[in-house]
Amino acid sequence: MRHQVLGRTPFEYQPGFERSIFFTCIDTCRRERKPASRIGYSTILKRWLMVRVFPCEGGTMMLANDASESVVRQHQLAQRATQDELTGLPNKLQLVEVLGSRSAADAPLSLAVIGLDRFRQVIDARGYAGGDMAILEMASRLQSATLPDEQLFRLTGHEFALLLPEGPGVDERLATLAARCAMPVVLEGTMFVLGATVGLARAEAVSSDGADSAEQRIKHAALALRHAKKVRRGGVLAYEPALEAATQQRAGLETELRAAIEQQQFTLVLQPKGRLDSGHVVGAEALIRWQHPERGMISPAEFLPLADECGLMLRIDQLVLEMAVQQVAALRALDLAMPVSINLSVDSLADPTLALRVQTALASAGLPPVLLEVEVPEGAVMKDVDTSAQVLSSLGAMGVAISIDDFGTGYSSFAYLARFPVHALKIDRSFVADMQRNGASLKIVRAMVRLAHSLQMQVVAEGAETDTEIELLRRMRCDLVQGYGYGRPMPLDRFIDFARSHRPQSLEPAMPDPMVV
């Protein structure tokens, strides 16, 4: 090799040198009179070379170094950039490149984002290593079911993307893939059933609204997935422009909600609870309302689910607690002392400082604990039984009464009735409203009343709206009623008038011990 090149120019021993990277580098150096460098492949040496050319007296000087390992390493890095490290599938960057390289002449493709359901259960039970194993299993299932004209990607976390030809059978095809993900998976001897929900961005939906960018298509499919998780978990939901409008409205409402908490735009209304035997008012439930400066009164059904999603329930619960004790103090000052109940969220039940916060609020208003009740949704106490038991026991020991709200709609477990310091059950309005039409509902309500009394608890029937319903409840010897048939939610000033007309004398209640009464 040495004797072939010594004393000769590259033009002499390498045909087509003027088209090579070497010539390009030399030519650049000659013209610009400054160093030039390139990386290229030598067909003679069969190696990647780093070529550097420097201007010198009488011409140029060229140095070439073997760069094969560097080039391979860069190629590997480039491959990693577009390939998911865990599954080996193409990643989001590769998906963006594929979508971006398509032209209008190409066959239309739908984009689906497949999100695994109940994946958190795997993480909680088997840690992140178990989560990786579940991802690998699901990737294998999806990959093995992918057709030749489809392409599977892993986006992030527990989400995959699938490009598939647009056609009338797309929804059924995706439902089949989701069903594969719902088949049980066994990890370290434990069986998990995950499932999948799919958001779909159809090809025609993209062209109709001009959203032809890759990122926009991914955004649309992901948005459809988020909405499907709420309304059609385990199913397939296609993107519609209305979803984006709803998302933007939600984002705006979240911003306003955070501002409302800071600016204390909330108020409480009180719905009276009355004794069925005498009609006297004996308490009330404090219900939150959002007094929006522009939109007026906003229902809690609209903003409380959003607050829960955004992690704002603890702050809202604290506001309700503080406002409620103020209203209780106002009633007490007018010789209308009666317990007012507040609703606790799942977040509050998991907060070990709840009892201290309640104690502080009561002390600041100079109130005895018996004038405050807390209502806990039946399903909420079962989210974390041990923590709920500890928190509720602390409240009960303090003297705060505890009611189980929406009884009969959740777990209805006798275990927590025996374990928690419950003093009252609130029968859900769905049973009360159905008593006249459905004999089974009537029997269920009667059984709930007997159950509560046998456990020495009070019974509150929610949602009673007619005289007939109230009379049925009275015959069953239900203790208290709460509903439009007795009294609607009302601001404090109107509640004061209502209490005066339905309660001839003030009586500061003493909370009965549920184990003694």
Side-chain angles (χ1 to χ4, degrees), residues 429-485:
R429 66 183 67 249
S430 60
F431 295 107
V432 175
D434 207 32
M435 287 190 304
Q436 294 176 257
R437 297 184 299 270
N438 189 333
S441 293
L442 182 65
K443 293 176 182 178
I444 290 173
V445 173
R446 184 179 290 114
M448 289 180 183
V449 172
R450 291 174 178 172
L451 170 65
H453 287 167
S454 67
L455 295 173
Q456 301 169 342
M457 299 176 185
Q458 283 191 328
V459 188
V460 184
E462 286 190 284
E465 298 187 359
T466 67
D467 292 340
T468 303
E469 291 171 352
I470 292 176
E471 181 59 29
L472 284 172
L473 293 167
R474 183 181 291 113
R475 291 178 183 178
M476 294 180 197
R477 296 188 178 180
C478 180
D479 301 301
L480 307 179
V481 64
Q482 178 184 344
Y484 284 10

Side-chain angles (χ1 to χ4, degrees), residues 272-275 278-284 328 331-332 334-340 370-371 486 495-510:
K273 300 177 186 178
R275 290 198 61 86
S278 66
H280 292 165
V281 61
V282 293
V328 173
L331 290 171
R332 191 185 190 203
L334 296 172
D335 197 26
L336 292 171
M338 65 184 72
V340 171
V370 293
L371 289 180
Y486 181 72
F495 181 82
I496 291 172
D497 294 336
F498 182 94
R500 283 173 171 161
S501 63
H502 287 75
R503 193 165 186 239
Q505 60 182 2
S506 173
L507 177 64
E508 191 146 310

Side-chain angles (χ1 to χ4, degrees), residues 34-292:
K34 64 181 182 181
S37 63
R38 296 286 189 280
I39 293 180
Y41 186 74
S42 170
T43 55
I44 295 178
L45 301 176
K46 310 298 184 186
R47 305 289 290 177
W48 287 90
L49 300 177
M50 165 66 80
V51 178
R52 289 173 291 178
V53 180
F54 304 91
C56 62
E57 187 176 350
T60 60
M61 179 179 65
M62 181 175 68
L63 299 176
N65 299 95
D66 189 344
S68 298
E69 291 185 6
S70 174
V71 171
V72 170
R73 187 161 52 251
Q74 290 180 9
H75 174 72
Q76 291 173 338
L77 290 174
Q79 189 177 34
R80 289 178 185 175
T82 58
Q83 185 180 69
D84 178 58
E85 187 174 356
L86 177 63
T87 63
L89 292 172
N91 61 12
K92 180 188 173 185
L93 182 60
Q94 182 69 10
L95 173 60
V96 172
E97 291 182 1
V98 171
L99 290 173
S101 64
R102 295 182 56 77
S103 67
D106 294 328
L109 292 179
S110 289
L111 172 63
V113 174
I114 304 169
L116 300 182
D117 298 329
R118 296 178 292 278
F119 183 70
R120 188 73 227 176
Q121 294 179 0
V122 179
I123 299 294
D124 292 342
R126 290 291 177 264
Y128 289 104
D132 287 346
M133 293 171 61
I135 291 293
L136 286 170
E137 172 64 24
M138 295 302 163
S140 175
R141 292 183 187 183
L142 293 172
Q143 182 71 10
S144 63
T146 300
L147 301 177
D149 55 355
E150 299 172 348
Q151 190 171 4
L152 182 68
F153 304 80
R154 185 188 179 199
L155 289 184
T156 181
H158 53 282
E159 293 182 0
F160 298 86
L162 183 71
L163 279 176
L164 68 167
E166 178 63 40
V170 167
D171 290 43
E172 291 77 9
R173 168 72 181 140
L174 293 173
T176 300
L177 293 176
R180 291 180 69 90
C181 295
M183 297 170 62
V185 54
V186 178
L187 302 173
E188 300 178 3
T190 302
M191 184 177 72
F192 297 90
V193 179
L194 301 183
T197 303
V198 184
L200 175 63
R202 300 187 189 278
E204 63 266 26
V206 174
S207 58
S208 65
D209 65 4
D212 54 359
S213 73
E215 289 288 354
Q216 193 77 345
R217 294 202 64 184
I218 297 172
K219 173 187 172 184
H220 286 175
L223 185 60
L225 171 63
R226 301 292 174 268
H227 191 65
K229 290 271 190 178
K230 298 177 183 177
V231 301
R232 199 179 299 172
R233 183 174 289 269
V236 180
L237 185 69
Y239 166 81
E240 297 177 356
L243 291 181
E244 191 151 17
T247 300
Q248 293 174 352
Q249 181 181 5
R250 179 194 178 281
L253 188 62
E254 178 183 345
T255 301
E256 294 175 350
L257 180 58
R258 293 182 183 276
I261 294 174
E262 297 296 333
Q263 300 168 14
Q264 298 187 357
Q265 296 175 3
F266 297 99
T267 186
L268 293 184
V269 293
L270 299 176
Q271 185 169 28
K273 300 177 186 178
R275 290 198 61 86
L276 280 164
D277 55 4
S278 66
H280 292 165
V281 61
V282 293
E285 179 180 358
L287 302 170
I288 190 171
R289 298 290 186 267
W290 180 4
Q291 185 64 53
H292 194 282

Side-chain angles (χ1 to χ4, degrees), residues 321-365:
L321 171 62
E322 294 170 356
M323 289 188 290
V325 296
Q326 292 173 5
Q327 295 200 358
V328 173
L331 290 171
R332 191 185 190 203
L334 296 172
D335 197 26
L336 292 171
M338 65 184 72
V340 171
S341 62
I342 61 173
N343 293 277
L344 289 184
S345 67
V346 176
D347 292 346
S348 285
L349 282 177
D351 180 18
T353 69
L354 175 64
L356 178 60
R357 291 193 288 112
V358 170
Q359 186 177 35
T360 302
L362 288 169
S364 66

